[in-house]
């Protein structure tokens, strides 16, 4: 059992059942049809938000326990939602395949971070959107969620560099109050990115 299986092994949805605030906020930018991928979907809240808005969505995660909860949440909302048990760092992504890819609080050290992000850019169709939410290195001072190793966290500029090839519609770094389940609560230093592939 992975550490994420252990974390998700509870009746509670530990990050809540509603999408991340940024993912909800970008809804006006989202297409109403097409294929979507939610990486590190966990218990499914962000991927299922995409599915509820008409996208043919797949959620990928390392945790079978999380994916089972995601399937239950999709059933609750009565939307189709495909799950795949896979390691994002190793899985292949088809070229020019997705209309939308989302990644919320999924962190990697370099050089793996840039390698994964470039595979994501490659997997987007022309005109496709990437929406990402990441903790900034300053988050270590807040202690309200995220990795404990600064090497796993990037600045706004570093995250944009990792995602080279996108045109930025939104690129933000600020401190905001998080209220997502029991695991993300309180002031947090967060990067939010919305990019379009030309």
């Amino acid at each position: 059992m992975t550490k994420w299986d252990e974390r998700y092994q509870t009746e509670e949805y530990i990050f809540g059942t509603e999408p991340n605030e940024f993912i909800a906020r970008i809804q006006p930018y989202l297409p109403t049809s097409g294929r979507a991928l939610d990486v590190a979907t966990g218990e499914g809240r962000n991927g299922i938000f995409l599915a509820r808005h008409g996208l043919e969505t797949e959620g990928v995660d390392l945790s079978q326990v999380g994916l089972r909860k995601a399937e239950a949440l999709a059933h609750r909302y009565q939307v189709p939602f495909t799950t795949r048990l896979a390691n994002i760092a190793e899985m292949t992504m088809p070229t020019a395949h997705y209309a939308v890819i989302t990644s919320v609080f999924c962190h990697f050290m370099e050089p793996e971070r840039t390698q994964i992000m470039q595979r994501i850019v490659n997997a987007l169709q022309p005109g496709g959107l990437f929406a990402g939410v990441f903790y900034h290195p300053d988050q270590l001072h807040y202690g309200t969620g995220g990795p404990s190793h600064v090497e796993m966290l990037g600045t706004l500029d570093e995250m944009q560099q990792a995602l080279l090839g996108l045109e930025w519609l939104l690129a933000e770094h600020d401190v905001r109050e998080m209220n997502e389940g029991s695991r993300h609560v309180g002031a947090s230093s967060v990067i939010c990115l919305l990019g379009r592939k030309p």
Side-chain angles (χ1 to χ4, degrees):
M1 182 173 278
T2 69
K3 70 171 185 179
W4 285 105
D5 281 333
E6 290 172 8
R7 286 183 191 177
Y8 293 139
Q9 194 82 42
T10 170
E11 291 295 309
E12 171 201 13
Y13 280 73
I14 65 173
F15 299 113
T17 56
E18 292 303 310
N20 172 269
E21 173 272 334
F22 183 68
I23 301 301
R25 179 153 53 96
I26 64 163
Q27 191 212 324
Y29 293 90
L30 296 174
T32 53
S33 64
R35 290 182 293 264
L37 176 69
D38 184 40
V39 301
T41 198
E43 299 164 311
R45 64 193 176 109
N46 297 302
I48 286 162
F49 175 80
L50 300 177
R52 286 165 60 196
H53 290 281
L55 289 158
E56 182 189 324
T57 309
E58 178 180 40
V60 177
D61 204 272
L62 273 173
S63 170
Q64 187 69 66
V65 175
L67 291 176
R68 278 199 297 268
K69 291 172 80 173
E71 289 162 1
L73 188 62
H75 182 72
R76 187 191 307 177
Y77 281 113
Q78 297 184 310
V79 292
F81 182 69
T82 305
T83 58
R84 184 179 3 160
L85 184 68
N87 184 339
I88 297 138
E90 297 170 358
M91 73 180 213
T92 56
M93 298 183 207
T95 299
H97 187 73
Y98 296 103
V100 178
I101 299 177
T102 50
S103 175
V104 176
F105 296 130
C106 181
H107 300 92
F108 295 94
M109 295 184 189
E110 289 291 7
E112 197 170 44
R113 176 196 301 149
T114 294
Q115 292 164 359
I116 292 165
M117 294 301 167
Q118 283 301 302
R119 291 213 320 275
I120 284 172
V121 172
N122 184 58
L124 285 171
Q125 301 165 350
L129 297 175
F130 170 78
V133 183
F134 309 95
Y135 284 118
H136 185 275
D138 290 351
Q139 174 63 11
L140 293 181
H141 304 304
Y142 292 93
T144 50
S148 55
H149 300 291
V150 71
E151 297 83 6
M152 297 193 74
L153 305 174
T155 63
L156 179 60
D157 183 59
E158 287 166 346
M159 296 311 299
Q160 288 179 287
Q161 281 298 313
L163 287 152
L164 204 62
L166 299 181
E167 297 172 344
W168 299 108
L169 305 177
L170 297 168
E172 306 168 354
H173 168 229
D174 54 23
V175 176
R176 59 187 65 196
E177 282 292 320
M178 302 287 288
N179 186 18
E180 299 184 332
S182 61
R183 303 289 296 208
H184 288 166
V185 179
S188 304
S189 185
V190 177
I191 290 168
C192 296
L193 292 170
L194 179 64
R196 177 180 286 131
K197 186 172 180 178

